[in-house]
Amino acid sequence: MSQLALQHYLAVGAIMFAIGLIGFMTRRNLIVMFLCTELMFQGVGINLIAFGHFHGNLSGQAFVIFLLVIAAAEASLALGLIVLLFRQRNTLDADAWRELKG
Amino acid sequence: MTVPMVARFLTTASVDPAGLIAQMTTGPGSVAPITPIVVLALCIVAGIGTVLLLPTRRETSIRKIGGVVLALAGLVFAGLLARSQAGVGAYFWIFSGIALTGAVRVVTHPRPVYSALYFVMTVLASAGLFILLWAEFMAAALVLIYAGAILVTYVFVIMLAASTTGAKAAAVVSEYDNVSREPIFASAIGFALMGVLLFVIFDKSVPLTPRGDVSPVPAYPVVGGTQRLGAYLYQDQVVSLELAGVILTLAMVGAIVIARRKVWQGGVQTGGTGGEQITAPMTPVDDNPHSIPVYGTDNPRQKAWPET
């Protein structure tokens, strides 16, 4: 895998991370906000796999396994919290909690 | 046909002979320059397209224009990248195009269910990219865990939220889905980050000298990449693997505890539709884990399986 191909994969990962960041900042639905964090996880995963392949060892793939673990734990906890918040306000709007701004 | 064979087929079938020749003539170290000005201009154009494409109360035609602008910026960037004649083939362009299109649609689609489905598309395309990078086990794990488990959970929560707000409310796109928050600032920040990252990747990158062998076909198809990965995980990363198991168990316990917590309905209803309240029985006050309430009954003390 040449240097140029590595840069291509890194570019894909970076673009996906930035798109996820934009989505996290703009969307107001709690569920879609957490989907966008999963999108950022995807971008980081592509980066890790590309670096691991480039270096010819397995550390990148091992990192992505732990990234999947963290993503699964984050998704379960976040969805539990979202269900709890939804039962309190009966809406998924993040702006329903704007009094947290103080 | 096993997965490594498929991966080898993909990588060998996607070798572009013209690209190889050009790479040999120009040398592997000569990066076709993507100047920072071009990256900056493309990021600005794509940012304007994203601002137009994000869901607002505007006409759908303007959103279509934004989509076209964004797609054009992506195509120009892809063309600049393809000019550099790297060792990536058609499959890379197909998979990354699908993945990035799906990612943009996740962010910009007003309906959450469609966002989740487009995210499945992104995950599948990313799995394709992983296979191109000889990580076939990670591709399978990605499809199983992300597209299989996490996304199903997301879709369940979306359906749960949509069903309690009423069928009539679910037919129209709700206001908080239809109007995005600060699209201009968010796009500016996001595309500034993207521009900086691309600048670092393409301009500031020192040529890495990879350790180990860097042949495009790895030296382990005899044993299989998955076996090597398993040996690596269980020989070198044992403690991390056990910690991952502990984290998963903790997350499961935490999710159950959080989702079963009692909710007081006496709070101020801001932003709610003022419709029906949730009349499901709450978690009983005593901490007996056997007294799980039965949803749909009036008696919160009724148990699913009474201990006779």
Side-chain angles (χ1 to χ4, degrees), chain B residues 145-264:
Chain B
I145 295 176
Y146 258 109
I150 296 181
L151 256 295
V152 168
T153 319
Y154 271 100
V155 171
F156 266 119
V157 174
I158 291 171
M159 287 194 295
L160 201 71
S163 66
T164 51
T165 50
K168 205 165 76 176
V172 295
V173 182
S174 47
E175 189 262 348
Y176 57 86
D177 277 332
N178 225 347
V179 179
S180 46
R181 177 204 313 139
E182 302 282 356
I184 296 174
F185 283 125
S187 298
I189 292 171
F191 278 96
L193 175 70
M194 188 191 291
V196 168
L197 285 177
L198 292 179
F199 173 67
V200 169
I201 287 171
F202 285 108
D203 253 33
K204 287 294 171 190
S205 67
V206 288
L208 282 172
T209 50
R211 296 166 293 170
D213 56 337
V214 283
S215 58
V217 179
Y220 50 76
V222 184
V223 188
T226 305
Q227 284 184 24
R228 283 239 334 218
L229 180 63
Y232 176 74
L233 275 179
Y234 281 93
Q235 284 168 4
D236 298 345
Q237 304 280 342
V238 181
V239 180
S240 311
L241 208 64
E242 298 297 327
L243 274 180
V246 170
I247 287 174
L248 279 180
T249 314
L250 282 180
M252 186 181 71
V253 172
I256 293 172
V257 168
I258 287 172
R260 283 187 75 227
R261 185 173 296 163
K262 178 166 180 153
V263 174
W264 286 274

Side-chain angles (χ1 to χ4, degrees), chain B:
Chain B
M1 184 183 266
T2 57
V3 177
M5 287 174 66
V6 173
R8 205 181 318 151
F9 171 73
L10 286 181
T11 44
T12 50
S14 61
V15 165
D16 185 16
L20 276 184
I21 292 168
Q23 190 180 341
M24 277 185 284
T25 52
T26 56
S30 68
V31 182
I34 297 179
T35 53
I37 300 297
V38 175
V39 170
L40 184 69
L42 278 179
C43 280
I44 289 173
V45 172
I48 293 170
T50 308
V51 170
L52 290 179
L53 187 60
L54 279 172
T56 48
R57 290 198 189 85
R58 277 187 233 108
E59 304 286 326
T60 52
S61 58
I62 298 182
R63 295 192 54 203
K64 278 177 187 165
I65 291 174
V68 169
V69 168
L70 195 57
L72 280 182
L75 280 181
V76 169
F77 185 67
L80 285 179
L81 276 188
R83 214 164 39 109
S84 67
Q85 304 283 2
V88 294
Y91 286 101
F92 169 79
W93 297 107
I94 293 171
F95 284 136
S96 56
I98 292 174
L100 292 181
T101 312
V104 169
R105 288 308 277 159
V106 168
V107 172
T108 57
H109 206 285
R111 289 179 183 272
V113 180
Y114 284 90
S115 289
L117 293 181
Y118 276 113
F119 186 71
V120 172
M121 203 172 87
T122 303
V123 166
L124 292 181
S126 304
L129 285 179
F130 283 8
I131 286 182
L132 288 186
L133 289 170
W134 287 89
E136 63 269 0
F137 174 73
M138 289 323 299
L142 197 74
V143 171
L144 286 179
I145 295 176
Y146 258 109
I150 296 181
L151 256 295
V152 168
T153 319
Y154 271 100
V155 171
F156 266 119
V157 174
I158 291 171
M159 287 194 295
L160 201 71
S163 66
T164 51
T165 50
K168 205 165 76 176
V172 295
V173 182
S174 47
E175 189 262 348
Y176 57 86
D177 277 332
N178 225 347
V179 179
S180 46
R181 177 204 313 139
E182 302 282 356
I184 296 174
F185 283 125
S187 298
I189 292 171
F191 278 96
L193 175 70
M194 188 191 291
V196 168
L197 285 177
L198 292 179
F199 173 67
V200 169
I201 287 171
F202 285 108
D203 253 33
K204 287 294 171 190
S205 67
V206 288
L208 282 172
T209 50
R211 296 166 293 170
D213 56 337
V214 283
S215 58
V217 179
Y220 50 76
V222 184
V223 188
T226 305
Q227 284 184 24
R228 283 239 334 218
L229 180 63
Y232 176 74
L233 275 179
Y234 281 93
Q235 284 168 4
D236 298 345
Q237 304 280 342
V238 181
V239 180
S240 311
L241 208 64
E242 298 297 327
L243 274 180
V246 170
I247 287 174
L248 279 180
T249 314
L250 282 180
M252 186 181 71
V253 172
I256 293 172
V257 168
I258 287 172
R260 283 187 75 227
R261 185 173 296 163
K262 178 166 180 153
V263 174
W264 286 274
Q265 292 288 340
V268 186
Q269 295 277 335
T270 65
T273 55
E276 55 175 355
Q277 294 289 321
I278 305 163
T279 55
M282 297 307 160
T283 308
V285 186
D286 59 343
D287 284 334
N288 187 2
H290 292 287
S291 56
I292 297 171
V294 180
Y295 284 78
T297 62
D298 290 334
N299 182 12
R301 305 305 299 255
Q302 183 180 342
K303 298 171 186 175
W305 286 280
E307 310 142 9
T308 55

